[in-house]
Amino acid sequence: MKTFQRQHSLLLIVSTLLILSGCKLTKPVEQAARISTPQNFADQTDSTGIAAIQWKSFFKDQHLIALIDTALQDNLDLQMAAQRIEMVRTNILIAQGALLPAVSAEVSGGGRKFGDYTMDGVGNYDTNFSENIDADRKIPLPFLPDYFVGLRSSWEIDIWGKLRAQKKAAYHRLLSTEKARQAIVTGLIAQIASSYYELVALDTELDIIRKNINLQQTAVETVKIQKEAGRANELGVRQLTAQLLNTQSLEFDVQQQIIQAENNLNLLLGRFPQPIVRGTTLEQVFPETVSAGIPATMLRRRPDIQQAQLDLLANYSDQQAAQLAFLPSLNITAMLGYSAFKSNLLFSPGSLAYTALGGLAAPLVNRKALKAGQRRAEAASREALLAYNKSVLTGFQEVSTSLKKIENTRKISDLKRQEVEVLQQSIATSKDLFQTGYASYLEVITAQRSALEAELNLTNVQKEQFLALIELYRSLGGGWE
C-alpha cells in the first residue's frame, strides 16, 4: 500500500512539473509592430476613392464590359483559383475531425503459437486441465487463433487548445485563399482593360499610318510631275519614295501587333483566337477628376494586403499550436466488440468485450522535433509579418506612381496635341513652299516624318493615360466585387 502511495505521489509530482513547465510555453508570442501608414495620399483630400465604384460603372465602353464578363466566367486562372480554395477548404474539415473522436470498424483474425517454456505457453497448457472450464472455453493448442469484430476509438481531448489553434490556422488560410482569388479578379480586370485600350490605340496608330501613306503617295506623285517639268531631280523622287516604303512597312508591323494583342486577349477570355469587337479612341472618356481616397480604405480593399494579413494570423495560430505541443496530451482509447479464439463462438454473448483507457502523455526526452517545429513556426510568423509590411509598402508605391503618372500624362497629352496641330500645319506650308520653289523636298520629308511621329506619340501618351487610370483602380483594390 505504501509503495502504491509513493508511486501515486511521484506521478502527481511529474505531472505537475510537466504542466508548470508547459505553462511557460503558452505565453503570447511577441511580434514587432506592423508598419505605420500615412493618413492621406499625397495631394489627396477626398475620402471616397474610385475603388468604391463597381467595375461595370467604372468602365464606360460596353464592348469592354462584355469582354470582362466573359473572362470572369471562362478565365482558366480563375477556375484554377476556385479549385485551390476547395483544396484549402478540406484542411478545415481535417482540423474539425481532429477535435472529435475517431471511430473505426474492424474485422480481424490471426493467431499465435506460444513457446512451451514461456509463461503464456505454460499457462495455456495448464488451463486446459482445470475443472472450472467447459469444452467451449478450452484453449486451442498449440496454435491459438484470435478473432475480433467490433469498433475501436481514439480521441485526443483538446485540453490546452492546440487542436483549436490548428483549426483557426486552417480557417484563416481558407480566407487567405479567397483573397488570393479576389486578387486574381482585380488583376484580370485590369489586364483585360489594359489590353483593350492597347488594341484601341493600335487601331488609331493604324489609321494615322494609313492617312500618312496617302499623303506621302500624293507627295511622290507630285515630285515625279515636277521632275518631268525639270523642277525636281531623281534624288527627290527616291527620297520621298523611300519614306513612303518605310511608312508602308509600319502599317504591316502595327497589323501584326494587333493580331498578337487580340490573341493575348482571347487567351485571357479562355477562348481560341478570333477578332475582338471594340470601340474607337473617340469613344473612350477619361474622367475629369480622379480620387484615390484614404489609405485606410485601400488597406481594407486590396485583396493582396488582406491576404497577407490573414496569412499573418494563420502563422500566429500555427506558432501557438507548436508551443502547445510541448504540453501533456490527454488521449482516450476504447474498444467494443466480439472477441474469441473460436470462430463459431465469436458472436455468442460471452464473447462481448470492451476496454477504455485514458492517459496523459508529454514529451520528456529528445524533443528536437518539437523544438524544430516551434522554430519553423516562429520563422514563418516573422516572415508573414514582413510580407504584410511589404504588401502595404507595395500598395502605397503603386498608388503614388499611378497618381503622378495620371497627372503627368495629362500635361504631356495637352502639349503633344498642340505639337500635332503645329506640325500638321507645317506639312501644308512645306507643300506650298515646295510647289512654288521656296522649299526643298527634304523639308517636305522632314515635316511629314515629324508630324507622323508626333501623332503616334500623342496616341501612345493617351494610351498610357488610360493605363495609369486602370492601374490606379487596381492598386486601390477596385474591381473584385
Side-chain angles (χ1 to χ4, degrees):
M1 185 66 181
K2 292 182 179 180
T3 302
F4 174 77
Q5 290 177 346
R6 285 197 299 267
Q7 293 176 347
H8 183 68
S9 300
L10 180 61
L11 179 61
L12 288 176
I13 293 173
V14 172
S15 300
T16 303
L17 290 176
L18 287 172
I19 294 173
L20 291 176
S21 62
C23 288
K24 296 173 64 177
L25 299 172
T26 61
K27 292 181 180 179
V29 182
E30 295 183 1
Q31 290 185 335
R34 299 180 190 178
I35 190 170
S36 58
T37 59
Q39 296 298 318
N40 295 288
F41 294 110
D43 302 327
Q44 292 285 312
T45 57
D46 190 357
S47 60
T48 303
I50 60 174
I53 306 174
Q54 292 189 355
W55 65 266
K56 286 189 177 181
S57 301
F58 181 76
F59 298 108
K60 306 301 182 182
D61 193 317
Q62 295 302 314
H63 299 299
L64 174 58
I65 292 175
L67 292 175
I68 294 175
D69 265 328
T70 301
L72 294 179
Q73 295 293 326
D74 301 332
N75 181 263
L76 298 179
D77 288 329
L78 273 181
Q79 295 180 25
M80 289 188 290
Q83 297 307 312
R84 284 194 292 269
I85 291 175
E86 292 304 314
M87 288 188 288
V88 175
R89 194 186 304 276
T90 60
N91 293 333
I92 293 184
L93 299 178
I94 294 173
Q96 288 176 338
L99 288 167
L100 302 174
V103 181
S104 59
E106 180 180 334
V107 177
S108 61
R112 180 175 178 182
K113 196 278 181 186
F114 294 99
D116 293 340
Y117 307 106
T118 63
M119 182 179 295
D120 290 321
V122 173
N124 292 340
Y125 177 80
D126 184 65
T127 300
N128 284 340
F129 293 100
S130 174
E131 297 178 354
N132 297 325
I133 62 173
D134 53 25
D136 290 338
R137 291 181 172 84
K138 286 190 176 293
I139 300 174
L141 295 176
F143 185 79
L144 179 63
D146 184 17
Y147 304 102
F148 176 78
V149 175
L151 303 175
R152 294 188 186 274
S153 175
S154 62
W155 186 16
E156 180 181 352
I157 307 298
D158 192 27
I159 55 179
W160 308 112
K162 178 185 68 175
L163 300 180
R164 290 191 295 273
Q166 293 174 350
K167 178 184 175 182
K168 191 174 182 180
Y171 176 71
H172 284 139
R173 285 199 169 85
L174 174 62
L175 297 180
S176 172
T177 309
E178 175 61 29
K179 292 298 179 181
R181 189 194 69 83
Q182 293 174 2
I184 294 176
V185 171
T186 61
L188 178 64
I189 291 175
Q191 194 172 2
I192 291 174
S194 299
S195 299
Y196 181 83
Y197 285 121
E198 287 178 356
L199 263 177
V200 172
L202 287 172
D203 289 341
T204 303
E205 288 185 16
L206 189 61
D207 291 339
I208 293 171
I209 290 172
R210 286 172 175 171
K211 181 187 69 174
N212 277 270
I213 288 175
N214 293 331
L215 293 174
Q216 291 172 10
Q217 285 175 338
T218 302
V220 170
E221 293 171 358
T222 301
V223 77
K224 285 182 178 179
I225 293 173
Q226 289 185 341
K227 175 190 172 185
E228 293 175 357
R231 296 177 58 188
N233 53 35
E234 182 65 19
L235 179 60
V237 174
R238 292 183 179 276
Q239 289 283 354
L240 288 173
T241 302
Q243 184 187 44
L244 173 61
L245 293 172
N246 178 70
T247 307
Q248 288 174 333
S249 68
L250 291 178
E251 178 183 8
F252 292 104
D253 180 63
V254 173
Q255 287 178 347
Q256 180 59 35
Q257 292 181 45
I258 290 175
I259 292 174
Q260 184 175 353
E262 285 184 327
N263 291 341
N264 292 337
L265 190 51
N266 280 311
L267 179 61
L268 294 175
L269 300 177
R271 66 189 189 187
F272 290 101
Q274 57 185 276
I276 300 293
V277 180
R278 53 191 179 272
T280 63
T281 302
L282 297 177
E283 298 174 358
Q284 312 308 318
V285 180
F286 197 87
E288 292 293 332
T289 59
V290 177
S291 173
I294 59 176
T297 302
M298 182 202 71
L299 296 178
R300 290 194 302 267
R301 291 193 59 87
R302 271 191 68 127
D304 59 333
I305 294 179
Q306 293 298 309
Q307 179 187 2
Q309 186 176 23
L310 290 167
D311 286 337
L312 180 61
L313 295 175
N315 281 282
Y316 184 77
S317 297
D318 283 339
Q319 191 174 7
Q320 288 180 321
Q323 287 182 322
L324 294 171
F326 288 91
L327 297 177
S329 59
L330 175 59
N331 294 278
I332 297 176
T333 59
M335 178 274 289
L336 173 64
Y338 292 95
S339 179
F341 49 64
K342 292 181 180 179
S343 58
N344 60 329
L345 299 174
L346 181 59
F347 295 103
S348 63
S351 296
L352 181 64
Y354 52 85
T355 61
L357 176 65
L360 281 172
L364 282 180
V365 182
N366 193 11
R367 302 193 298 175
K368 291 183 178 180
L370 293 178
K371 292 180 179 179
Q374 182 184 11
R375 291 179 181 177
R376 180 169 57 247
E378 290 174 353
S381 183
R382 287 192 292 268
E383 181 189 14
L385 177 61
L386 295 173
Y388 173 80
N389 291 341
K390 181 180 178 181
S391 66
V392 173
L393 288 174
T394 300
F396 273 82
Q397 177 263 326
E398 291 175 349
V399 171
S400 176
T401 301
S402 298
L403 283 172
K404 288 299 182 182
K405 187 175 182 180
I406 290 174
E407 179 184 348
N408 291 328
T409 52
R410 194 193 298 270
K411 296 176 181 178
I412 295 173
S413 179
D414 293 337
L415 295 174
K416 285 294 181 182
R417 191 175 289 107
Q418 297 176 32
E419 180 185 1
V420 169
E421 292 175 357
V422 171
L423 290 175
Q424 286 177 342
Q425 294 173 359
S426 71
I427 292 178
T429 302
S430 65
K431 284 184 178 180
D432 294 339
L433 293 175
F434 178 72
Q435 290 175 354
T436 57
Y438 289 100
S440 66
Y441 57 88
L442 290 177
E443 292 173 305
V444 176
I445 293 173
T446 300
Q448 291 178 344
R449 182 184 297 117
S450 299
L452 174 60
E453 292 177 355
E455 287 184 278
L456 295 178
N457 288 335
L458 175 60
T459 301
N460 185 65
V461 171
Q462 291 173 337
K463 178 191 71 175
E464 291 298 324
Q465 193 173 10
F466 277 103
L467 295 184
L469 177 65
I470 296 169
E471 177 60 19
L472 177 63
Y473 184 63
R474 183 205 65 78
S475 61
L476 289 171
W480 57 262
E481 294 89 354

